[in-house]
Amino acid sequence: MSGMQQWKWRGPYEQLSLWDDCSSEPFVASSICESPTGEVQLLEKILERENLRRALRQVRRNKGAPGVDGMTVHKLGRHLRKHWPKIKAAILEGRYRPLPVRRKEIGKPQGGVRLLGIPTVLDRFIQAAVAQVLSAMWEPIFSESSFGFRPGRSQHDAVHRALGYVRAGHRYVVDMDLSKFFDRVCHDRLLILVRFQDETNCGRLWAWQDLVLPI
């Protein structure tokens, strides 16, 4: 595997050691596991032990309200210890389906409401595991001028960049906002573009349907 450190196939995942509380343990970088066939598969990266433990720590750290099933963050570890083999098999076989998100309305200061969707803690855990792997794959191709919702970047970095433009003599600012972009974007076309960008690595992931949670 050019450009990647090779790792041996770990085999079955140990349930108890995987889901026990590991918040006090130092983070170990996610490894990319290699399947017995020699092909690095995206879902196997996502389901790699350390990546899952990192996702579990993130969900616990973020806390948050329960979804439609009422399960709290504190109950997630116990649920995974009991049901992880079935959940993992459903993901690998393309049978996993997220539950609908719980809909909540939040008032805006200028009036109106913002719709908030709260996934179940299990779905948040799986989303975190997916996002961690995809971020490592896609971050290198993002624009250097992009700061929103990216690891290690913030609005403060955007302000510092803007100040640099001002000092360089630029005097015009174009402020644009795509209203309700995530509500209106065509997800089918978006996934086609993603698949076109990296057909090999993303093929198995896009076989896992319902990436957009129902409400």
Side-chain angles (χ1 to χ4, degrees):
M1 300 187 301
S2 60
M4 294 183 181
Q5 182 176 358
Q6 293 197 17
W7 299 80
K8 293 184 179 179
W9 176 250
R10 291 179 180 269
Y13 301 94
E14 302 113 77
Q15 298 174 51
L16 292 178
S17 60
L18 182 58
W19 307 126
D20 286 343
D21 187 1
C22 51
S23 56
S24 61
E25 297 181 7
F27 166 64
V28 179
S30 305
S31 61
I32 299 176
C33 60
E34 186 173 349
S35 71
T37 63
E39 295 180 353
V40 177
Q41 300 288 358
L42 185 61
L43 283 181
E44 289 168 355
K45 297 179 193 177
I46 292 170
L47 298 175
E48 200 275 334
R49 178 181 176 182
E50 293 302 332
N51 186 57
L52 294 173
R53 294 187 68 161
R54 182 185 171 195
L56 182 58
R57 285 196 293 267
Q58 178 180 322
V59 171
R60 284 171 169 161
R61 184 169 56 249
N62 292 344
K63 300 178 182 179
V68 293
D69 62 353
M71 184 190 303
T72 64
V73 171
H74 300 293
K75 296 179 180 178
L76 178 59
R78 187 187 317 156
H79 180 81
L80 290 172
R81 281 194 293 270
K82 183 176 181 180
H83 299 288
W84 177 244
K86 293 187 298 183
I87 297 170
K88 176 191 168 187
I91 293 173
L92 289 172
E93 296 168 10
R95 296 183 289 102
Y96 182 85
R97 295 293 181 271
L99 289 177
V101 298
R102 182 164 67 87
R103 185 168 180 168
K104 183 177 179 61
E105 294 183 349
I106 299 178
K108 295 182 179 180
Q110 296 81 14
V113 295
R114 183 185 304 277
L115 294 179
L116 178 66
I118 304 176
T120 65
V121 292
L122 174 61
D123 289 332
R124 298 206 296 262
F125 161 72
I126 295 175
Q127 289 171 1
V130 172
Q132 288 163 181
V133 172
L134 292 186
S135 291
M137 292 170 51
W138 289 84
E139 269 295 309
I141 70 171
F142 272 50
S143 169
E144 275 300 311
S145 299
S146 172
F147 295 93
F149 303 101
R150 294 182 63 187
R153 293 182 173 223
S154 70
Q155 64 270 32
H156 301 290
D157 299 308
V159 170
H160 287 311
R161 177 71 64 85
L163 289 175
Y165 292 144
V166 171
R167 296 188 186 104
H170 299 283
R171 292 292 179 265
Y172 294 96
V173 174
V174 178
D175 184 14
M176 295 186 299
D177 180 34
L178 299 177
S179 177
K180 299 183 178 179
F181 171 79
F182 292 107
D183 295 331
R184 298 172 177 173
V185 65
C186 177
H187 291 92
D188 290 337
R189 293 183 182 180
L190 180 61
L191 291 180
I192 288 173
L193 292 173
V194 172
R195 189 182 296 114
F196 176 78
Q197 176 67 33
D198 198 338
E199 183 73 36
T200 301
N201 286 334
C202 293
R204 286 186 65 189
L205 178 63
W206 304 135
W208 178 21
Q209 300 294 322
D210 294 330
L211 293 177
V212 180
L213 300 179
I215 296 180

